[in-house]
């Protein structure tokens, strides 16, 4: 494997990192002492004044155990229902702009789904962003074909989300391969948490939506129905500030969508200790995809659905036994136009997954969660898997996965909590792997906690990558090419969580060593004899602050930054893919019982990704310039025929800025204004 750094690079980085991180670490250690005066000032406030949950928030996702957030083995961002509402987000992917370290590019994918790119810490070589796991109520929606998530195809409505937990950092110890950079777990509302019906109607620039929800209870059975219809005209047809007058670079992608969603959730209390949850979801409708002088869809229809059954038993000892089974079916029916003429773009993907989990206390002051799962995926996508001279590659591509996992939480003193866990898994493509993690949390004082952790994580090849490997290893190409392996990362972090006056502060510094990074798209990688030649080192920091300002105002601020160093082997770009800085700020205020408003600001430094420009000869900078954006929401609550109602004015991109995200043919729309009326019955 080639060396990532020269000796001079190493000396420079060592000196720079010593200077930067020495000061950051010193600041981190001094926080409890700097906050002593602030604590005295705020001591009259109740300790349970944390603004996003009662007292110290409890998270469910980091280790598979329910834990106070300051005892979790990883950094976690919690986005609650109110934050989602205050953000004014139109679709699910936009919410993640509020997460420190997250990069979101609106409708960046020109090829398969015209979807947004959501990437943690950059490190994206394609628009699918295939290095992060995404779950909905613990059910993986990670795509087997290209990896990543097709956000528009996910059967979920924002109104059904209770909260989102984002694990900021590798978490293969809990969720296996593909939890490589981080994990998003979207947690929906329990069916019993709402009653009655509600209708919401949204209409504005290039978009409209209607949502109907109905919740009820019959004996021990609670259920909720949600149905929605959305029309989204996406980006503007023409780029307002093109970087080239070549027609290709003056047009945005084809990304209009009609999205029909239907969801059902039931929660049944079988007896005092057993519960049974059932979920069904459907997402379908016509979708545009493609771009000028490239692949585009003459017709494209998405049809996706899932079913999930989840049984849980509360044990007398305080533990829990659970079994979860789900099935996912994704289907695309499409006629595509490309340089070969009209092509069949039909594709199918199915997943069957069964998981059992047991939580108990093995000894005093300790909890252990362990379990296992089996999974079967099957992919059929002849056009998208066609390689070289073969326009179509017919046939099914099965994938089998078996897992065993465990995490021990041990409070071996009142102030020290140890988490040690690992995932052992075996899959069809790369065989067996074990990914461990260990973390120690120290409560220096009741209000201040430090965490140090080290973990290993992997990413398995997608179906597309595995097929491409077979092409390169053909008899007339590079038959001696070694088999494709999993990508690997070693991650170390030091974190702080505490309350300074009335503010909840989460700060961490991290050092990630990525190796065996996959590239199958460039022949140079195959010719070099190694499709796993990529390597990168990342150093960075993240800060998150949540604080009330008075009784009616709250602020949520996020900041992240760092550096990526790589040799960019075979021309695959990783260097500088992490923005030098990334800010987000959400300010919300309740004026009185009727009026409430919020303002959101985002600022991202210039970025450089592998696909920023594939033809830099045409006088465009290799970096995508930084951008700044402001969103706002103003809502009025009133009675309509005796029913509670709310009318909201939402403006995204208030300054009407026209800027690029991810690439120079992906320009964010100008100012987008919409009205939303919601009535509860």
């Amino acid at each position: 494997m080639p060396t990532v750094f020269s000796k001079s690079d190493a000396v420079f980085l060592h000196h720079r990192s010593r200077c930067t991180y020495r000061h950051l670490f010193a600041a981190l250690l001094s926080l409890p002492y700097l906050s002593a005066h602030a604590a005295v000032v705020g001591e009259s406030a109740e300790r349970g004044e944390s603004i996003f949950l009662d007292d110290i928030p409890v998270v469910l996702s980091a280790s598979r155990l329910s834990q106070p957030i300051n005892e979790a083995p990883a950094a976690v961002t919690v986005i609650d229902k109110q934050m989602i509402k205050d953000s004014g987000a139109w679709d699910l992917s936009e919410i993640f702009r509020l997460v420190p370290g997250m990069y979101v590019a609106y409708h960046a994918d020109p090829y398969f789904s015209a979807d947004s790119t959501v990437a943690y810490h950059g490190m994206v070589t394609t628009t699918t962003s295939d290095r992060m796991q995404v779950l909905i109520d613990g059910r993986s929606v990670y795509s087997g074909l290209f990896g990543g998530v097709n956000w528009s195809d996910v059967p979920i409505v924002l109104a059904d989300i209770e909260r989102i937990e984002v694990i900021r950092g590798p978490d293969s110890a809990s969720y296996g391969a593909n939890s490589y950079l981080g994990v998003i777990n979207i947690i929906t509302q329990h069916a019993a948490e709402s009653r009655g019906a509600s209708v919401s109607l949204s209409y504005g620039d290039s978009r409209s939506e209607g949502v109907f929800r109905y919740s009820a209870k019959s004996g021990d059975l609670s259920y909720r129905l949600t149905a929605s219809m959305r029309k989204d005209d996406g980006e503007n047809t023409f780029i307002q500030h093109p970087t080239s007058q070549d027609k290709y670079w003056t047009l945005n992608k084809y990304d209009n969508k009609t999205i029909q969603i239907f969801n059902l959730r039931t929660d049944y209390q079988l007896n005092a200790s057993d519960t049974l949850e059932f979920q069904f979801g459907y997402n379908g409708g016509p979708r545009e995809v493609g771009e000028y002088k490239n692949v585009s869809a003459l017709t494209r229809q998405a049809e996706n659905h899932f079913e999930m059954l989840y049984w849980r038993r509360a044990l007398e000892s305080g533990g829990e036994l659970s079994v979860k089974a789900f099935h996912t079916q994704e289907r695309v029916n499409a006629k595509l136009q490309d340089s070969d003429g009209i092509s069949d773009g039909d594709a199918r993907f199915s997943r069957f997954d069964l998981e059992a989990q047991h939580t108990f206390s093995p000894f005093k002051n300790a909890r252990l969660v362990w379990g296992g799962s089996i999974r079967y995926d099957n992919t059929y996508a002849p056009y998208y898997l066609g390689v070289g001279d073969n326009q179509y590659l017919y046939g099914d591509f099965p994938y089998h996965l078996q897992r065993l996992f465990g995490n021990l939480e041990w409070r071996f003193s009142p102030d020290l909590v140890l988490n040690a866990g690992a995932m052992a898994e075996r899959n069809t493509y790369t065989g067996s792997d074990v990914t461990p993690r260990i973390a120690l949390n120290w409560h220096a004082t009741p209000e201040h906690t430090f965490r140090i952790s080290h973990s290993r994580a992997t990413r398995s090849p997608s179906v597309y990558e595995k097929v491409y490997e077979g092409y390169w290893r053909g008899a007339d190409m590079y038959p001696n090419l070694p088999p494709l392996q999993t990508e690997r990362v070693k991650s170390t972090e030091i974190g702080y969580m505490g309350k300074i006056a009335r503010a909840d502060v989460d700060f961490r510094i991290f050092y990630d060593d990525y190796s065996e990074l996959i590239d199958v798209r460039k022949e140079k990688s195959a010719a070099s004899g190694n499709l796993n030649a990529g390597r990168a080192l990342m150093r960075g920091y993240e800060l998150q602050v949540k604080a009330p300002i008075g009784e009616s105002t709250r602020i949520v601020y996020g900041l992240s930054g760092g550096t990526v160093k790589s040799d960019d082997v075979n021309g695959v770009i990783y260097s500088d893919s992490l923005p030098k800085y990334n800010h987000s700020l959400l300010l919300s205020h309740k004026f009185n019982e009727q009026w409430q408003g919020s303002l959101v600001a985002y600022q991202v430094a210039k970025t450089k990704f592998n696909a920023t420009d594939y033809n830099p000869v045409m006088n465009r900078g290799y970096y995508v310039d930084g951008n700044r954006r402001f969103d706002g929401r103003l809502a009025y609550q009133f009675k309509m025929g005796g029913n509670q109602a709310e009318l909201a004015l939402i403006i995204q991109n208030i300054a009407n800025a026209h800027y690029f995200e991810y690439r120079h043919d992906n320009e964010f729309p100008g100012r987008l204004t919409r009205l939303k009326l919601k009535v509860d019955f």
Side-chain angles (χ1 to χ4, degrees), residues 123-304:
M123 293 291 292
V124 290
T125 53
T126 70
T127 52
T128 55
S129 183
D130 51 10
R131 294 186 169 107
M132 183 171 60
Q133 181 65 264
V134 179
L135 313 168
I136 301 179
D137 293 323
R139 172 180 60 87
S140 174
V141 293
Y142 185 93
S143 170
L145 176 56
F146 294 111
V149 176
N150 301 317
W151 295 97
S152 297
D153 296 345
V154 175
I156 193 168
V157 174
L158 293 184
D160 285 341
I161 298 175
E162 177 63 27
R163 70 182 185 279
I164 302 172
E165 296 180 3
V166 182
I167 293 93
R168 306 192 327 266
D171 201 7
S172 286
S174 294
Y175 299 104
N178 307 325
S179 307
Y180 188 70
L181 297 176
V183 177
I184 295 172
N185 189 18
I186 301 165
I187 301 169
T188 62
Q189 280 187 312
H190 191 282
E193 291 181 1
S194 60
R195 289 286 185 275
S198 69
V199 174
S200 67
L201 300 172
S202 300
Y203 183 80
D205 297 323
S206 305
R207 49 186 58 174
S208 60
E209 181 183 49
V211 179
F212 171 78
R213 302 176 77 225
Y214 178 74
S215 302
K217 184 175 183 179
S218 177
D220 293 323
L221 176 67
S222 299
Y223 61 92
R224 181 183 66 244
L225 300 170
T226 304
S228 73
M229 168 74 82
R230 165 178 290 205
K231 293 183 70 68
D232 186 345
D233 290 342
E235 298 172 334
N236 300 329
T237 302
F238 296 97
I239 292 175
Q240 298 297 308
H241 303 293
T243 55
S244 167
Q245 293 307 309
D246 184 291
K247 188 174 181 180
Y248 178 88
W249 296 99
T250 64
L251 297 173
N252 274 310
K253 293 174 296 303
Y254 311 128
D255 63 344
N256 293 359
K257 299 178 175 72
T258 298
I259 302 173
Q260 303 157 352
I261 293 178
F262 176 79
N263 284 331
L264 166 67
R265 172 167 175 165
T266 66
D267 290 277
Y268 184 43
Q269 189 72 42
L270 297 169
N271 52 49
S273 58
D274 293 71
T275 60
L276 186 64
E277 173 189 330
F278 172 75
Q279 291 193 39
F280 168 81
Y282 167 85
N283 180 314
R287 317 281 160 86
E288 286 188 346
V289 69
E291 56 188 350
Y292 175 74
K293 282 190 176 180
N294 203 339
V295 180
S296 61
L298 299 175
T299 62
R300 187 179 186 274
Q301 183 83 15
E303 302 284 345
N304 310 305

Side-chain angles (χ1 to χ4, degrees), residues 477-494:
M477 298 295 287
Y478 307 98
N480 297 321
L481 193 66
L484 201 58
Q485 301 298 316
T486 56
E487 296 184 340
R488 300 185 181 278
V489 61
K490 301 175 184 177
S491 178
T492 303
E493 71 160 30
I494 299 174

Side-chain angles (χ1 to χ4, degrees), residues 1 482-487 515-519 530-534:
M1 181 175 293
L484 201 58
Q485 301 298 316
T486 56
E487 296 184 340
S515 61
E516 300 183 48
L517 299 173
I518 295 171
D519 174 61
N530 187 3
L531 298 177
N532 288 92

